Amino acid sequence: MTRYLLVSRSAEYENRLRRLLGARLQTVPGEYLAFGTTEVVGQVQDDPAVALLGPLLSFDESRSIAAALREKNAGLGIIVVREQRSDLEDWVDAMDIQAVLSPEATDTTTLDLVERLDAWLVTAGRAQPYSGDAIASGVEEASTLTFVELAADDDATDGEDALDAEVADESSAVEAWVLPPMDPAVRSEVITVAAPKGGQGKTTMAVNLAVGLAEVAPNSVVIVDADLQFGDVANVLDLQPTRDLADFVRAADDEVQIKTQLVRHSDDFFVVPAPLSPEFADDIDAASLGRLIDQLAKMFRYVIVDTTPGLGEHTITALEHATDGVFVSSLTVASLRALRTEFQLLTELGLIPRNRHIVLNNVEKNTGLIPADATAIIGAEADVVVPRSQGVLLAANAGAPLIHHDPRDSAAKAVRALVQRVDPAAVPTRRRIHRKARQDEPE
Ligand SMILES: Nc1ncnc2c1ncn2[C@@H]1O[C@H](COP(=O)(O)OP(=O)(O)OP(=O)(O)O)[C@@H](O)[C@H]1O
Ligand SMILES: [Mg+2]
């Protein structure tokens, strides 16, 4: 007989919990939610003492499962497995949850929390003690001793306090999970640059990433302008393309045709320009864009995708196909809140790319906010802070990428740091700078 229930959309977490809890655990994949809560609850076989909900379940899904399970067993203990703490109170209020557990918590913390809650439920008369033979059929480190000791130590009230403390402890670990640190095992290949609001500096970052990465991987970088209606990558780079994204999408399976259509920039990278006219954008569906990105990833070391502001279908597809997400925001409350909402949504959809980089752009002094405020609002620290600089505008007006136009500019240096996050080898060398300077001299 099982004792614990996990409803989650993460197969990885499911496996981990199964390893920890063994035969005591039954799982219902979150995919059943597509058929409704009733279907999920219908899958639950034994009468669990503790249900773990998440990761990757939304607030509404968790609330509705919690309510349905509690209807069958009012004493059920509920642990929500999720990131974020800012709206934690809403979850606690709406679901009467007993604890929040970071999916990144260590095995010991995870096991300990589940068992402590179990013990408390027994002490509080909300659950029957688990039968011995069932424990024996459980997994190796079932740690019944801990279970019994805790049950003996805690009276119901103390148990509750202990769990409250646990909520506080766990939630501090939670933030780290929202945006996991760079994963060294994942080689950057497709880098999608996104922002919930317009004009934050996506194109500036995307173009300079292409330029910087092309220094270490000449002719192995392509930038795709997937800002379907108003993409201006070609414009910013002073190129006059005759082919556009619609042509590339049509040729997505044909490597030779793609190569012949690409526009080459003198800094040794290629461009797939946005549709030449906004109405051509209608011909490009998100799935085809995804196919093109995959095809380009086979042909190039780096594929950089510039996007439309917000989380439209095409941007979601670009993120889905990305190894890296570069998220750009200005240092304003509205933008930062929008970014947090974007992260929440992407996390729920399981679409945060494995490597992610938060860029605060256009940062000025004396605006009432400092980067640390951004950390508090977003729930994660910015990886790169780019100051507002005249150099960005001068470079844009000259049709030249910032990091080559004025490598000593403060914004250029910050953007260079972003490039080096993606490829640490992209260090500007004297030779490169001199070569560029010579190229840029009038003939
Ligand atoms: N750090 C900076 N300092 C000064 N100006 C900047 C900075 N970053 C970007 N800009 C300027 O802000 C404007 C918007 O930047 P950019 O086009 O890169 O944003 P975007 O997010 O791509 O916008 P859109 O949503 O319209 O595509 C441009 O004129 C750019 O030159
Ligand atoms: Mg843009």
Side-chain angles (χ1 to χ4, degrees):
M1 221 181 60
T2 58
R3 178 78 170 172
Y4 308 123
L5 166 70
L6 171 71
V7 184
S8 155
R9 276 206 183 82
S10 164
E12 199 182 335
Y13 193 74
E14 204 175 295
N15 287 338
R16 193 174 144 220
L17 223 61
R18 202 171 286 126
R19 181 171 52 76
L20 285 177
L21 299 169
R24 291 181 289 171
L25 182 72
Q26 65 170 313
T27 60
V28 178
E31 282 71 16
Y32 277 97
L33 277 162
F35 306 98
T37 309
T38 322
E39 185 66 32
V40 174
V41 176
Q43 298 295 319
V44 179
Q45 284 175 358
D46 303 318
D47 187 16
V50 177
L52 295 105
L53 308 179
L56 302 178
L57 296 187
S58 70
F59 176 82
D60 285 339
E61 288 169 343
S62 307
R63 185 176 49 183
S64 125
I65 298 173
L69 290 172
R70 282 255 169 80
E71 221 169 85
K72 288 175 137 189
N73 170 12
L76 178 78
I78 294 180
I79 298 175
V80 166
V81 185
R82 72 186 286 266
E83 74 299 349
Q84 290 292 340
R85 61 182 305 184
S86 51
D87 58 349
L88 194 59
E89 278 180 23
D90 298 345
W91 288 66
V92 176
D93 290 349
M95 282 168 242
D96 180 27
I97 56 182
Q98 275 66 52
V100 174
L101 174 65
S102 163
E104 277 211 329
T106 61
D107 286 357
T108 319
T109 308
T110 304
L111 193 61
D112 185 48
L113 181 66
V114 173
E115 291 181 340
R116 285 178 65 188
L117 176 55
D118 192 340
W120 175 74
L121 291 166
V122 173
T123 320
R126 287 175 56 163
Q128 293 299 313
Y130 193 36
S131 68
D133 58 329
I135 289 176
S137 69
V139 93
E140 56 290 350
E141 38 183 323
S143 63
T144 38
L145 252 184
T146 322
F147 174 88
V148 173
E149 277 167 9
L150 280 164
D153 283 348
D154 295 346
D155 66 34
T157 325
D158 285 345
E160 195 149 22
D161 287 348
L163 287 163
D164 279 349
E166 199 75 53
V167 169
D169 284 357
E170 290 298 331
S171 57
S172 62
V174 160
E175 278 185 354
W177 184 80
V178 186
L179 300 163
M182 293 272 291
D183 184 343
V186 176
R187 207 175 106 153
S188 300
E189 275 159 4
V190 177
I191 303 138
T192 294
V193 184
K197 290 188 173 283
Q200 309 284 292
K202 292 183 298 301
T203 304
T204 305
M205 299 308 145
V207 163
N208 282 284
L209 270 171
V211 174
L213 293 172
E215 290 173 358
V216 274
N219 300 320
S220 294
V221 178
V222 64
I223 173 166
V224 179
D225 193 345
D227 184 352
L228 262 61
Q229 289 195 309
F230 301 108
D232 55 356
V233 170
N235 217 356
V236 167
L237 290 169
D238 212 11
L239 300 168
Q240 281 84 36
T242 52
R243 303 294 192 146
D244 69 16
L245 185 60
D247 297 305
F248 284 85
V249 161
R250 269 192 295 277
D253 301 325
D254 188 341
E255 195 174 320
V256 176
Q257 208 181 333
I258 289 180
K259 278 186 177 153
T260 56
Q261 292 183 160
L262 285 164
V263 186
R264 188 168 181 280
H265 187 271
S266 57
D267 280 336
D268 305 329
F269 64 91
F270 294 90
V271 179
V272 172
L276 297 174
S277 167
E279 68 263 23
F280 296 168
D282 296 343
D283 298 342
I284 303 166
D285 63 276
S288 311
L289 174 67
R291 266 202 305 284
L292 176 67
I293 294 173
D294 287 346
Q295 174 65 32
L296 291 169
K298 286 186 210 149
M299 300 164 56
F300 290 90
R301 168 82 179 87
Y302 292 113
V303 181
I304 295 150
V305 189
D306 190 12
T307 60
T308 311
L311 278 184
E313 234 193 321
H314 294 83
T315 302
I316 289 197
T317 300
L319 285 166
E320 206 173 2
H321 289 251
T323 52
D324 291 47
V326 174
F327 297 93
V328 189
S329 173
S330 60
L331 190 54
T332 59
V333 172
S335 268
L336 295 165
R337 284 203 179 134
L339 186 59
R340 187 183 67 187
T341 310
E342 179 161 320
F343 281 144
Q344 281 170 336
L345 197 65
L346 289 172
T347 305
E348 277 166 19
L349 294 170
L351 286 181
I352 297 265
R354 295 294 294 274
N355 295 331
R356 63 96 186 114
H357 321 265
I358 298 178
V359 177
L360 285 185
N361 186 30
N362 242 327
V363 174
E364 284 182 287
K365 286 191 177 141
N366 306 322
T367 56
L369 282 188
I370 55 168
D373 298 321
T375 309
I377 298 174
I378 307 172
E381 210 172 316
D383 300 298
V384 176
V385 178
V386 184
R388 179 170 180 76
S389 155
Q390 198 68 7
V392 180
L393 299 172
L394 291 174
N397 289 339
L402 173 70
I403 57 172
H404 280 170
H405 189 257
D406 184 358
R408 288 183 191 83
D409 173 81
S410 54
K413 285 184 184 158
V415 172
R416 173 68 69 179
L418 172 66
V419 177
Q420 284 174 284
R421 275 178 67 85
V422 175
D423 190 333
V427 182
T429 61
R430 229 171 237 282
R431 190 183 59 78
R432 280 176 192 143
I433 292 169
H434 284 166
R435 185 171 69 92
K436 274 311 302 164
R438 271 202 304 279
Q439 270 179 13
D440 293 342
E441 276 164 18
E443 292 172 36

